[in-house]
Amino acid sequence: MTTAATTTRRTLIPFGPQHPVLPEPLHLRLVLEDEIVVNALPAVGYIHRGIEKLAELKDFQQNVFLLERICGICSFIHSLAYCQGIEELMQLDVPPRAKYLRVVWSELNRLHSHLLWLGLLADSFGFESLFMQVWKTREKVLDLEEATAGARIMLSTCAIGGVRRDLSDEQIAQVLHGLDAIERDFESFIPAVITDTTVKHRLVGVGVITQQQAHELGAVGPVARASGIARDLRVTGYAAYGELGLNPVIETDGDCYARTLVRVRELHQSLLLIRKALKRLPATPIAVPVKGNPIGEVVSRVEQPRGEVLYYLKANGTKTLERVRVRTPTFANIPALLAMLPGNELADVPVITLAIDPCVSCTER
Amino acid sequence: MLHNVTDVTVATLLDAVAARFPQGYRLITLTCVDCVDNLEVLYHFYRNYELSHLRLCVAKGTVVPSISGIYSCAVIVENELKDLFGLTFDGLVLDYEGRFMLAADAPVAPMLRTAPAQAAARNGELKMEP
Amino acid sequence: MFPFVTTILRALRRGPATRRYPYEVRPPMAGSRGHLVNEPDTCIYCGLCVRRCPAGALAVTREPKSWTLDPYRCILCAYCVEVCPKKCLRMEPSHVRAAS
């Protein structure tokens, strides 16, 4: 052996944009010392679609459908954030029933998003059967979305001034019945996620960030909550969340296991919120008419499954907006991801990357 | 409506941002708005669910000091604005040199609001349908 | 070992979780937005739907009377259905296949 081999060698490994565990193209340049990651650099831009620019050309009503298509998972919550921003600008008072229905669809979105993520996480460490079981349950959530909104993913039910569809008593019964079936499924696979030795072996102590780091790097959503930051925008009480009440789910370990626990507990929280909202659904109209055009600038924020999304809207009193700015949760979690990776093995990089629940389409818009 | 907006200049930006960091403010993001004559950069912060913003108005072509030395997470959004608006940041901790979000053959600063003829000439007849 | 035996027995009793598609097709759900259709007899060719469409998928001319839909651009949002003054536009719950 030469002396060069005994000194530490650095290797540059490209991770992505095409990688078996990544549902979307994200590129990380990993600097490795032996098997340990010492540095990571992100590169995005593979699916930049220029939606912010396009939103300046469509009229403000059409933008609801455009902005919904930023993300294929939390589509409803994107349109909700946008509609709430425009409603604040136009001082529209959304009827209570619409607010409750918005909670129902938001939480259905959160349910299927967390289930999708849980399946992908299981897939990332090779637990194929868990992946299949979780996605089987996710299918039930999608069926509920189709039965209530008319589409599995692009619900298109949120509108400026309210919602576009109402739920009949039969549909409410159908959703409640569906939720019971989903909860029974949870009992069959969630113990496997949180108690299985093999799963814990891959998650506990992997990709740790401290509360201080998470705060300074601006982490949001389950990543921040898994590091002990009790921050969930739903407690600010937008839509009907103020009346339904909830406490942010937090864990303190800051590793991939804590992130899993946060999302698993949020699954139960979502079930509870949907049931509460359906039980208290007020009998009012579902939308108010929209007259005129918005003017002024506003920041609207809501909690997505992956964390906080920020919409900055600037309107000038015409039909088109001057600026639509979207800061999505994954964009905010990238610095946290880069802080998690150093010190971990290359084999753990896919798990850590998935544990932040990356949504690259959101990130690049 | 936007509340808690403080106007800053290129000279006072870094002090204003540095004052927020120890107070527990978290940087949400930067927003750039093309106001035709100049560019407006908004810095969104928050603490305990309360928003607070800094507004920086600069002429196009001005070099803006980077806040990535204070808030390291600002580095990716500053690189994004550099790509999409052609803003130049001084002191970026990590500079992708305009290749963070856009590829080499992409239009230059596509988010800028320019007269359609100018944009078409610059971007080689790249059309965007309404 | 024994929990696994019960799992196997349960799986044998229940059969596969998936449907034998394409031999067995789930009927479309009521109210689903499958595809857009127009009734040419009642349509007055006013063009309101064209102005509303976020995707630019529709085209209408009054003279000669024509209403065309580009199915590859349509995003199935049903925004046009809401504005139609004669209610001649509607969403059918069945989805059309890409190759038909």
Side-chain angles (χ1 to χ4, degrees):
Chain A
M1 255 193 190
T2 58
T3 46
T6 52
T7 56
T8 326
R9 279 170 60 184
R10 289 202 163 191
T11 324
L12 186 77
I13 303 238
F15 176 82
Q18 300 299 326
H19 190 281
V21 304
L22 289 176
E24 288 177 285
L26 173 73
H27 180 59
L28 291 171
R29 268 167 236 175
L30 302 171
V31 181
L32 271 79
E33 265 175 17
D34 297 335
E35 282 282 296
I36 307 294
V37 179
V38 288
N39 200 1
L41 272 182
V44 296
Y46 299 96
I47 39 174
H48 175 65
R49 292 158 291 166
I51 287 186
E52 286 183 4
K53 186 74 185 168
L54 190 56
E56 293 171 9
L57 303 174
K58 305 269 175 202
D59 80 40
F60 73 96
Q61 296 263 20
Q62 293 172 337
N63 274 342
V64 179
F65 305 104
L66 171 66
L67 294 168
E68 187 175 45
R69 280 161 176 78
I70 288 178
C71 181
I73 307 297
C74 38
S75 59
F76 182 83
I77 311 184
H78 267 289
S79 56
L80 174 64
Y82 173 75
C83 290
Q84 286 188 349
I86 295 285
E87 281 153 10
E88 197 181 327
L89 284 179
M90 302 180 78
Q91 288 157 5
L92 291 171
D93 204 9
V94 180
R97 191 177 177 90
K99 288 184 176 174
Y100 276 79
L101 288 173
R102 283 174 173 189
V103 169
V104 172
W105 279 311
S106 294
E107 293 306 318
L108 281 174
N109 260 201
R110 196 179 315 275
L111 265 182
H112 92 75
S113 173
H114 281 358
L115 287 171
L116 173 119
W117 170 83
L118 194 56
L120 291 175
L121 183 83
D123 189 41
S124 79
F125 49 75
F127 201 157
E128 284 289 324
S129 56
L130 179 62
F131 164 61
M132 293 293 179
Q133 293 298 327
V134 173
W135 277 40
K136 192 174 101 185
T137 306
R138 175 175 179 255
E139 207 59 28
K140 294 181 182 168
V141 186
L142 295 181
D143 281 349
L144 289 184
E145 289 193 344
E146 187 173 357
T148 53
R152 285 156 52 87
I153 300 288
M154 293 299 159
L155 304 188
S156 298
T157 44
C158 201
I160 294 163
V163 291
R164 297 170 70 209
R165 279 198 189 214
D166 201 355
L167 294 191
S168 64
D169 289 342
E170 295 84 60
Q171 281 173 316
I172 292 172
Q174 188 185 355
V175 173
L176 289 173
H177 185 71
L179 292 183
D180 291 341
I182 291 164
E183 195 167 23
R184 277 197 298 279
D185 283 3
F186 285 176
E187 282 159 24
S188 71
F189 64 75
I190 283 180
V193 182
I194 55 180
T195 57
D196 192 277
T197 327
T198 330
V199 174
K200 277 175 117 171
H201 184 70
R202 291 304 306 270
L203 299 177
V204 174
V206 173
V208 180
I209 52 166
T210 60
Q211 184 175 1
Q212 182 68 18
Q213 276 178 308
H215 179 78
E216 284 176 7
L217 295 169
V220 293
V223 176
R225 290 197 283 277
S227 293
I229 300 176
R231 189 193 291 136
D232 187 329
L233 281 172
R234 287 177 288 172
V235 302
T236 59
Y238 67 86
Y241 286 112
E243 290 138 61
L244 295 169
L246 81 160
N247 287 318
V249 174
I250 54 164
E251 289 288 332
T252 48
D253 292 343
D255 56 0
C256 291
Y257 186 62
R259 279 164 221 140
T260 311
L261 288 183
V262 166
R263 292 196 177 94
V264 164
R265 285 168 57 198
E266 283 185 359
L267 286 173
H268 291 289
Q269 191 183 38
S270 293
L271 286 179
L272 189 73
L273 281 168
I274 301 173
R275 285 184 179 136
K276 262 191 194 174
L278 287 175
K279 205 179 282 174
R280 298 192 198 167
L281 207 59
T284 65
I286 54 162
V288 288
V290 182
K291 288 195 183 73
N293 294 322
I295 187 159
E297 45 182 353
V298 74
V299 165
S300 160
R301 296 185 301 158
V302 299
E303 187 78 15
Q304 280 190 341
R306 292 166 184 78
E308 159 208 9
V309 64
L310 173 137
Y311 270 70
Y312 167 84
L313 307 168
K314 188 176 183 186
N316 54 7
T318 61
K319 271 169 78 177
T320 52
L321 299 177
E322 247 176 51
R323 178 84 168 102
V324 178
R325 165 48 160 166
V326 188
R327 200 300 312 269
T328 53
T330 308
F331 199 90
N333 278 334
I334 287 180
L337 170 67
L338 303 181
M340 286 170 203
L341 290 171
N344 287 285
E345 284 184 24
L346 177 64
D348 285 331
V349 171
V351 178
I352 298 170
T353 311
L354 269 178
I356 71 158
D357 199 358
C359 179
V360 186
S361 296
C362 275
T363 310
E364 303 178 13
R365 304 171 299 281
Chain B
M1 296 299 141
L2 225 51
H3 305 288
N4 272 338
V5 188
T6 320
D7 285 311
V8 288
T9 63
V10 171
T12 58
L13 170 73
L14 285 182
D15 289 338
V17 174
R20 271 155 205 260
F21 188 77
Q23 290 170 22
Y25 277 100
R26 186 174 71 81
L27 177 77
I28 305 177
T29 196
L30 272 62
T31 297
C32 188
V33 186
D34 186 355
C35 305
V36 186
D37 304 323
N38 49 13
L39 289 175
E40 203 178 88
V41 187
L42 279 157
Y43 294 76
H44 308 283
F45 294 90
Y46 96 59
R47 184 176 64 177
N48 303 334
Y49 301 111
E50 282 291 315
L51 281 164
S52 138
H53 317 270
L54 295 177
R55 192 194 297 270
L56 174 72
C57 248
V58 288
K60 285 178 185 167
T62 317
V63 177
V64 179
S66 165
I67 62 162
S68 57
I70 305 163
Y71 282 94
S72 59
C73 54
V75 74
I76 57 169
V77 64
E78 284 182 344
N79 272 299
E80 182 193 301
L81 295 188
K82 187 171 179 169
D83 286 18
L84 300 181
F85 283 91
L87 265 176
T88 321
F89 287 94
D90 181 34
L92 266 175
V93 174
L94 176 67
D95 195 343
Y96 285 82
E97 296 178 333
R99 296 282 170 271
F100 177 65
M101 203 158 259
L102 299 179
D105 55 348
V108 181
M111 285 295 288
L112 281 183
R113 230 173 235 277
T114 30
Q118 271 174 289
R122 195 180 49 186
N123 296 330
E125 293 303 310
L126 189 95
K127 276 191 187 148
M128 184 179 265
E129 290 178 45
Chain C
M1 184 194 159
F2 286 110
F4 215 84
V5 172
T6 49
T7 308
I8 292 169
L9 288 175
R10 200 166 57 225
L12 284 173
R13 195 178 70 242
R14 284 188 186 165
T18 47
R19 209 173 285 117
R20 289 177 65 243
Y21 189 84
Y23 308 107
E24 203 182 304
V25 183
R26 188 196 76 183
M29 286 192 188
S32 186
R33 299 192 306 271
H35 65 276
L36 180 67
V37 284
N38 187 25
E39 300 284 349
D41 297 343
T42 38
C43 182
I44 53 168
Y45 305 94
C46 62
L48 276 177
C49 51
V50 179
R51 253 172 279 158
R52 270 224 177 178
C53 181
L58 296 169
V60 165
T61 51
R62 282 192 186 215
E63 225 36 78
K65 286 181 176 172
S66 82
W67 179 93
T68 46
L69 164 73
D70 182 350
Y72 295 104
R73 304 201 77 171
C74 180
I75 57 170
L76 304 172
C77 61
Y79 195 41
C80 50
V81 176
E82 285 173 11
V83 75
C84 183
K86 301 301 274 185
K87 301 286 167 224
C88 60
L89 282 174
R90 64 167 201 277
M91 290 308 277
E92 285 287 318
S94 65
H95 288 257
V96 285
R97 290 188 195 169
S100 63

